[in-house]
Structures are given as structure tokens and as C-alpha cells.
């Protein structure tokens, strides 16, 4: 009797979450790039987002260009309680952790770089700590968007890191990040079409170069 080798199941996201903080003062900050990514996806796929009290966030659902039904979420619980909103959606729709793809900012990646992973630790990110705690698992995909480290600041200077994360992009960086967000939409579409693991090859190998105004 021959032993059948079972291929690992494709990881196809059903819920895409962007992390950020809800108040206007946080709008367009580096820490809110997850919100910006979900907004970009919603625009590209024409999925309206609206505040949903049951899910403690801005929520929308529709049909992705590839694959089937998709759900989008921007938690409005503040970053360090992001998991509450994520759990509200996964519990309601009975979604497994591995079907949740979380998008958030990463200081340890340079501007223009993205990194897609199937699982992993929070890496010191409070939003991810909350997501992991509420999903009771680290085994869910995540897409990190590089925001770079603060210039002229020692790595041990926490206040410098906080002001960098909560600061806004320069004009040149904003142009560059719009290209990054376009690429993020491509990565998510590839994840839905071929699975997260295959999409990792493309999404982790490319870096968006600075615009001329930024590099000048």
C-alpha cells in the first residue's frame, strides 16, 4: 500500500486587518500605515468601509478581484488593544487564525521594503502582541511595511523612536509610500490567488526605490 503525501494546505486570507490608532492626530503617521494599506485595498477593490460597533472598528466586506469573499478591518480600539476587534470578527464568522492577515509598520525594515510571513512573534509591536493574545496563536500571516529607523537617534533612545513612529512621512517619503501601498495591494492579491507562501517570494524580494525628490 503506497503512502500518500499530503501537500500543506494553501493559506488564503479571509480577513485583512490593518493596524493603527483611530484619532485624527494619528492620521497619516508612520504607525498608521496599516490603516493606509487597508484604505488602499478598499479603494482598489471598491469595498466600502464603515464603522461597525460590534466589531469595534471600520469594517467592510466584498469580493476581491481574485478569490472570493474578503473582509477588511481597521480596529478602532487603539493599537495596544487591536486584538479585541480582530477577535470580534473571527469569533462572529468562525474564522481560524491562519485566515487572518495583519498589516502593520516595522521600524527594523527600511522604507520601501515589505516582508510577508506565515507566522512569527510580535517583535515588540504592541498591536501584534494584542492580536496574538486574542487569537491565542502566532500562526497567522502578517505583512510588515518598513518605516525605517529615526535618523540621528541612538537605538536606545525610546523617546526618539516614539516620535519617529508617531511622526508623519516627509513629502518625498509620502510619494514613495504611495508606491509601496500599490505594491502591498499587489501582494495581497497574489496571496489570495496563489496563497501566502508563494506570494512571499515576490513580496519579500522587491524594494521600492526613493523618488527623485526624496533622493535629491
Amino acid at each position: 500500500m503506497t503512502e500518500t503525501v499530503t501537500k500543506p494546505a494553501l493559506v488564503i486570507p479571509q480577513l485583512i486587518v490593518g493596524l493603527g490608532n483611530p484619532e485624527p492626530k494619528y492620521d497619516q503617521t508612520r504607525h498608521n500605515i496599516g490603516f493606509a494599506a487597508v484604505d488602499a485595498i478598499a479603494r482598489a477593490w471598491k469595498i466600502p468601509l464603515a464603522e461597525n460597533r460590534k466589531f469595534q472598528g471600520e469594517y467592510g466586506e466584498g469580493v476581491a478581484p481574485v478569490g472570493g469573499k474578503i473582509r477588511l478591518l481597521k480596529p478602532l480600539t487603539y493599537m495596544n488593544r487591536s486584538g479585541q476587534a480582530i477577535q470580534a470578527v473571527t469569533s462572529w464568522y468562525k474564522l481560524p487564525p491562519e485566515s487572518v492577515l495583519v498589516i502593520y509598520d516595522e521600524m527594523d525594515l527600511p522604507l520601501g521594503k515589505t516582508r510577508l510571513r506565515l507566522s512569527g512573534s510580535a517583535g515588540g509591536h504592541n498591536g501584534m502582541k494584542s492580536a496574538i493574545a486574542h487569537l491565542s496563536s502566532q500562526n497567522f500571516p502578517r505583512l510588515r511595511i518598513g518605516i525605517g529607523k529615526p535618523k540621528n537617534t541612538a537605538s536606545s533612545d525610546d523617546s526618539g523612536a516614539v516620535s519617529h513612529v508617531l511622526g508623519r512621512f516627509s513629502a518625498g517619503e509620502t510619494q514613495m509610500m504611495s508606491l509601496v501601498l500599490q505594491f502591498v495591494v499587489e501582494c495581497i492579491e497574489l496571496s489570495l490567488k496563489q496563497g501566502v507562501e508563494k506570494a512571499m517570494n515576490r513580496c519579500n524580494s522587491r524594494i521600492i526605490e526613493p523618488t527623485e525628490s526624496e533622493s535629491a
Side-chain angles (χ1 to χ4, degrees), residues 10-213:
L10 284 180
V11 176
I12 306 287
Q14 297 177 56
L15 169 65
I16 297 165
V17 182
L19 301 187
N21 283 307
E23 285 184 74
K25 67 179 180 181
Y26 297 112
D27 194 33
Q28 305 299 319
T29 60
R30 294 179 179 92
H31 213 25
N32 270 31
I33 197 67
F35 274 12
V38 166
D39 286 338
I41 293 165
R43 282 194 301 271
W45 299 351
K46 296 179 172 56
I47 297 175
L49 297 172
E51 187 169 346
N52 184 309
R53 290 190 177 183
K54 179 171 61 181
F55 295 152
Q56 302 173 60
E58 284 189 27
Y59 175 80
E61 55 185 54
V63 179
V66 290
K69 189 172 188 175
I70 195 74
R71 300 175 174 92
L72 306 177
L73 175 69
K74 292 162 60 180
L76 299 180
T77 49
Y78 288 94
M79 187 67 82
N80 61 357
R81 293 190 310 217
S82 300
Q84 291 177 198
I86 297 171
Q87 187 184 41
V89 180
T90 57
S91 296
W92 182 262
Y93 291 111
K94 297 180 170 56
L95 301 175
E98 59 270 18
S99 71
V100 181
L101 190 153
V102 182
I103 307 173
Y104 61 103
D105 58 295
E106 176 59 80
M107 268 208 311
D108 287 334
L109 287 177
L111 280 171
K113 183 75 177 165
T114 55
R115 185 153 294 158
L116 184 63
R117 288 279 182 268
L118 282 167
S119 62
S121 68
H125 194 285
N126 288 332
M128 285 300 286
K129 286 179 187 174
S130 178
I132 289 168
H134 281 82
L135 290 173
S136 301
S137 174
Q138 293 188 356
N139 295 322
F140 57 90
R142 69 283 312 270
L143 178 60
R144 292 179 290 155
I145 300 175
I147 60 168
K149 289 189 174 176
K151 293 170 184 172
N152 307 319
T153 305
S155 58
S156 58
D157 187 345
D158 288 343
S159 62
V162 169
S163 59
H164 175 72
V165 165
L166 296 181
R168 288 178 169 79
F169 295 106
S170 69
E173 287 172 344
T174 299
Q175 289 182 11
M176 182 177 168
M177 292 311 292
S178 70
L179 297 176
V180 170
L181 292 175
Q182 287 176 32
F183 181 59
V184 164
V185 174
E186 288 177 35
C187 287
I188 299 298
E189 289 181 357
L190 200 57
S191 297
L192 296 176
K193 187 178 182 181
Q194 299 183 355
V196 171
E197 194 166 10
K198 278 197 174 178
M200 282 164 51
N201 294 331
R202 170 157 170 74
C203 300
N204 298 343
S205 62
R206 186 176 168 195
I207 185 162
I208 307 293
E209 296 297 336
T211 61
E212 287 182 15
S213 58

